[in-house]
């Protein structure tokens, strides 16, 4: 009986660990269409896919509170998008290759704003 109980507990733990680390397409079409992909760290992407690449509009959400809503090209943030930080600050503007590039507005959680041209994630003064 004791061995049977240990086997049940071990199989439950193994199954729980496997499910916690499961990754992949959870809804829709993540090859060519609209789908939701969940990564092992629980980051999710929900949006448009073209040939298994994030392409078009979508939302990427991290467990630590970061959220990006906007355009993707070749699975990178490119085009118009809004990045929301865990503290409530936001950057709303242009993106290229995953970096703030072009016109944009950074708004701190206290409401202060900085508008300008960004290059590789840095405001050009």
């Amino acid at each position: 009986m004791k061995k049977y109980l240990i086997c049940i507990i071990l199989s439950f733990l193994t199954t729980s660990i496997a499910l916690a680390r499961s990754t992949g397409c959870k809804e829709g079409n993540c090859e060519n269409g609209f789908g939701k992909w969940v990564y092992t760290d629980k980051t999710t992407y929900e949006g448009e896919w073209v040939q298994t690449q994030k392409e078009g509009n979508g939302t990427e959400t991290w467990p630590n509170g970061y959220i990006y809503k906007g355009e993707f090209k070749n699975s990178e943030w490119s085009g118009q998008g809004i990045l929301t930080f865990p503290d409530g600050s936001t950057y709303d503007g242009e993106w290229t290759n995953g970096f703030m590039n072009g016109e944009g507005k950074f708004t701190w959680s206290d409401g202060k704003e900085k508008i300008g041209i960004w290059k590789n994630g840095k405001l050009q003064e």
Side-chain angles (χ1 to χ4, degrees):
M1 180 70 177
K2 189 174 182 181
K3 286 183 183 181
Y4 182 69
L5 186 59
I6 290 173
C7 287
I8 290 173
I9 292 171
L10 286 176
S11 67
F12 176 74
L13 289 174
T14 304
T15 304
S16 296
I17 291 169
L19 290 174
R21 293 184 178 208
S22 69
T23 187
C25 191
K26 300 301 180 189
E27 295 174 17
N29 183 345
C30 299
E31 290 183 24
N32 289 295
F34 188 92
K36 180 178 181 179
W37 187 278
V38 178
Y39 296 89
T40 55
D41 68 351
K42 301 291 186 218
T43 298
T44 62
Y45 170 77
E46 189 166 3
E48 297 173 300
W49 297 85
V50 176
Q51 297 179 347
T52 68
Q53 296 282 316
K54 299 172 200 168
E55 192 77 30
N57 289 303
T59 301
E60 231 170 18
T61 306
W62 288 264
N64 61 4
Y66 288 91
I67 300 169
Y68 173 81
K69 291 181 182 182
E71 296 177 284
F72 289 79
K73 185 173 182 172
N74 297 319
S75 292
E76 292 187 333
W77 305 347
S78 283
Q80 288 294 127
I82 301 171
L83 178 63
T84 303
F85 295 81
D87 70 353
S89 299
T90 60
Y91 170 80
D92 183 351
E94 297 178 36
W95 296 83
T96 305
N97 299 321
F99 290 98
M100 296 178 267
N101 274 303
E103 292 182 34
K105 175 173 73 171
F106 191 95
T107 305
W108 282 267
S109 58
D110 64 4
K112 292 180 187 173
E113 295 180 347
K114 201 68 146 164
I115 299 171
I117 304 295
W118 302 75
K119 185 174 180 184
N120 295 323
K122 294 182 181 178
L123 180 63
Q124 303 302 293
E125 301 278 345

